Amino acid sequence: MANFLLAAAVVVLTTVALGMIRVLRGPGAADRIMAAQLLGTGGIAVLLLLARAIPMPGVVDVALVLGLLAAFVSVAFVKAVGGPAPGDAERAGGE
Amino acid sequence: MTLTFAFDAILALALVAVAAWTTAARDMFAAVAGSVAFGLLMALVWVRLAAPDVALTEAAIGSGVTGGLLIAVGARLRRNGASPGAEPPGAILRCTAAVVCGLVTVGLGAIVLLSPEPAPTLAPLAARHLPQTGLGNPVTAVLMAYRAIDTLLEVVVLLLALVGVWSLAPDRYWGGRPGMQQHEDPNGVLAFFARLLPPIGIIVAIHLFWVGSVAPGGEFQSATVVGAMWLLAMIAGLVDLPPIDRPGVRLGLVVGPVVFIVIGLAGTALAGAFLAYPPGHAKLLILVIEIPVTLSIAATLGLLVVGPPQRMPPG
Amino acid sequence: MSFIRDGLTIGAVAVGAFFFLAGMVGLLRFPDTLSRLHALSKADNLGLGLIVFGLLFQEDELFPALKLVGVWLLALLAGAIVAQLIARAAIRDRPSA
């Protein structure tokens, strides 16, 4: 079981590492934010798998903090590149 | 080839690739995204090196708050018309930077590879005296008992950094509110998120603070989460920052270091050395220090990210 | 009994990892921002959700299991919000509707 979970962690890590290519290429800021978001979620998945495969206290807490702070950074990104009020495009008079 | 080796190899390759690309990136926001990604990967590395406390701090401060700080700075630079990268650094500067980075890398590699087996360590000594501190987490014991003076100095340095950032404000803005007024739809997606996440974040922060005495966690990570939640509420326009000359703000920033120093001086009188704890009271005193320090650090980090005052002081 | 538990864990985690793979392929291969966002949110929700679901069977105590579910719910919430924000920014920046 531990070996299987470790193998799954390797798969998810490789997936996420390859997804970083979108950070490199992504023609827009939105693409880069998405790749960083994938890394955040993938990192959480890897941490949860590692927590069970190689028992160590506190790893799930690291995943929790990762989730919170990744959300914060993504929001900061969108706010910074999105211009004024990216959160309410519906009220901008129709796009 | 075992699975753990495969995992570590992929992690190391991804780390180097992201670092190289971030250094070579042309667009500033791309570089910031790369450095946030680097921080996340580093958190995984710390977990693999059996240092979950450091992983917590890396994910929270190294990746999260520093990323927020870089984004805020980048946005301000762009708004003021400065274009980062307009004047590329000269060849001499780049060569010097390359040489210095290379030397540091070689030096660190030599230390790691050439250190005697087993590497010299104080860990058994720290573990042997752990019961006297009343704590179960040796990292917290090092931070708050054995080397409390270092933690005190770190807290003071953070405060001095904030004063330095504030000193960048033009004279007419001194005492005003930091950052610009945020205009967000109070019924929009962002405001909804900023109402929902901070309570969750505060619960997680309290959990981290409390569990830090026996498991990975502690006041720095807890304070960082609180600071990030405050920044989120500010980004969404739900709360506005107070003017920096308000006494409440200054009190909140200073109460942590002051309590730390007062207890340290009391230790001189009661236990024989600065920041020594009287036997049997160590855990209680550490708790009394940690609560105001968490508040101060959260406030300091939040204000650091927002920057110097940019609006006229009220009245 | 433990054989069933382990089997469920392996099954769920394997499918979850597959969704992560699918999300990555979509992120790299889909032609424009919005369709990539679609692929990303599949990885976020289903990939992580199935992995958490599989890991739940390995937990013996309640509180750690609740923490796992809590992590997934947090990632779900954050993923949904960020997808919304990114999509609106992408729409506004698109040259033609």
Side-chain angles (χ1 to χ4, degrees):
Chain A
M1 175 54 56
N3 274 342
F4 168 74
L5 292 176
L6 205 45
V10 170
V11 167
V12 176
L13 181 66
T14 317
T15 299
V16 156
L18 289 175
M20 284 298 95
I21 298 179
R22 182 48 71 194
V23 174
L24 272 100
R25 277 211 276 142
D31 297 274
R32 297 196 221 272
I33 303 174
M34 280 195 290
Q37 173 80 358
L38 178 67
L39 180 56
T41 316
I44 294 177
V46 166
L47 282 170
L48 293 181
L49 287 167
L50 279 182
R52 178 49 62 172
I54 308 172
M56 201 190 317
V59 179
V60 179
D61 286 339
V62 180
L64 211 48
V65 168
L66 200 65
L68 280 172
L69 270 297
F72 162 69
V73 170
S74 295
V75 165
F77 254 127
V78 172
K79 181 78 188 238
V81 306
D88 49 90
E90 301 133 345
R91 293 191 166 212
E95 300 283 4
Chain B
M1 152 135 72
T2 68
L3 278 172
T4 43
F5 179 79
F7 186 89
D8 294 339
I10 296 176
L11 194 52
L13 277 174
L15 209 56
V16 171
V18 169
W21 176 75
T22 305
T23 316
R26 295 275 160 226
D27 171 42
M28 184 191 51
F29 281 118
V32 173
S35 77
V36 169
F38 183 81
L40 295 183
L41 288 172
M42 274 307 294
L44 293 180
V45 168
W46 290 126
V47 167
R48 280 296 295 138
L49 290 175
D53 296 78
V54 187
L56 273 173
T57 314
E58 178 73 41
I61 300 186
S63 180
V65 171
T66 308
L69 180 65
L70 291 172
I71 294 170
V73 167
R76 179 172 305 123
L77 281 176
R78 217 171 46 168
R79 196 166 51 230
N80 292 347
S83 97
E87 311 162 12
I92 295 187
L93 187 59
R94 280 191 282 184
C95 283
T96 314
V99 166
V100 170
C101 288
L103 285 176
V104 169
T105 308
V106 167
L108 282 175
I111 292 176
V112 169
L113 292 173
L114 298 178
S115 63
E117 247 354 285
T121 172
L122 289 172
L125 197 62
R128 190 159 54 224
H129 293 279
L130 205 52
Q132 280 177 315
T133 60
L135 298 168
N137 181 5
V139 175
T140 306
V142 168
L143 282 176
M144 294 304 296
Y146 305 146
R147 299 294 307 182
I149 181 74
D150 290 337
T151 310
L152 169 62
L153 292 177
E154 282 162 18
V155 175
V156 170
V157 161
L158 262 183
L159 194 56
L160 290 177
L162 182 63
V163 172
V165 165
W166 279 354
S167 70
L168 294 172
D171 281 347
R172 64 183 182 280
Y173 289 148
W174 180 258
R177 296 174 189 266
M180 305 299 294
Q181 176 77 37
Q182 302 299 319
H183 299 283
E184 285 292 340
D185 177 10
N187 294 319
V189 171
L190 197 49
F192 168 73
F193 193 43
R195 283 196 194 96
L196 204 47
L197 199 65
I200 302 175
I202 291 179
I203 294 177
V204 170
I206 295 177
H207 163 72
L208 281 175
F209 177 87
W210 195 249
V211 91
S213 57
V214 296
E219 80 228 24
F220 266 96
Q221 296 92 335
S222 169
T224 311
V225 171
V226 173
M229 294 298 106
W230 185 36
L231 284 169
L232 181 63
M234 200 268 309
I235 288 176
L238 289 183
V239 301
D240 198 6
L241 290 144
I244 66 170
D245 62 354
R246 214 173 262 170
V249 172
R250 308 224 167 155
L251 189 64
L253 289 172
V254 155
V255 66
V258 163
V259 168
F260 214 148
I261 293 176
V262 162
I263 291 188
L265 290 172
T268 322
L270 298 173
F274 185 63
L275 280 175
Y277 302 126
H281 294 96
K283 185 159 183 200
L284 175 66
L285 284 174
I286 290 175
L287 200 63
V288 167
I289 292 178
E290 279 188 337
I291 295 177
V293 164
T294 307
L295 173 67
S296 290
I297 293 179
T300 310
L301 284 177
L303 287 171
L304 265 175
V305 171
V306 175
Q310 288 179 288
R311 284 176 269 170
M312 299 292 294
Chain C
M1 186 58 199
S2 118
F3 179 69
I4 299 181
R5 273 206 324 188
D6 284 353
L8 280 169
T9 300
I10 291 180
V13 169
V15 179
F18 166 74
F19 270 108
F20 263 107
L21 211 62
M24 181 269 290
V25 168
L27 193 62
L28 291 179
R29 301 277 301 169
F30 278 174
D32 75 318
T33 303
L34 286 178
S35 47
R36 286 184 213 131
L37 194 55
H38 171 83
L40 174 70
S41 53
K42 297 303 152 280
D44 264 359
N45 300 354
L46 284 172
L48 187 59
L50 283 167
I51 288 182
V52 165
F53 182 66
L55 286 173
L56 278 178
F57 290 108
Q58 299 289 312
E59 291 292 340
D60 293 321
E61 300 163 26
L62 182 63
F63 182 61
L66 284 180
K67 232 205 281 199
L68 278 181
V69 174
V71 170
W72 174 58
L73 288 175
L74 181 63
L76 209 58
L77 172 67
I81 300 284
V82 170
Q84 278 283 310
L85 293 174
I86 292 177
R88 290 164 193 222
I91 287 182
R92 193 187 38 242
D93 291 340
R94 253 201 313 204
S96 61

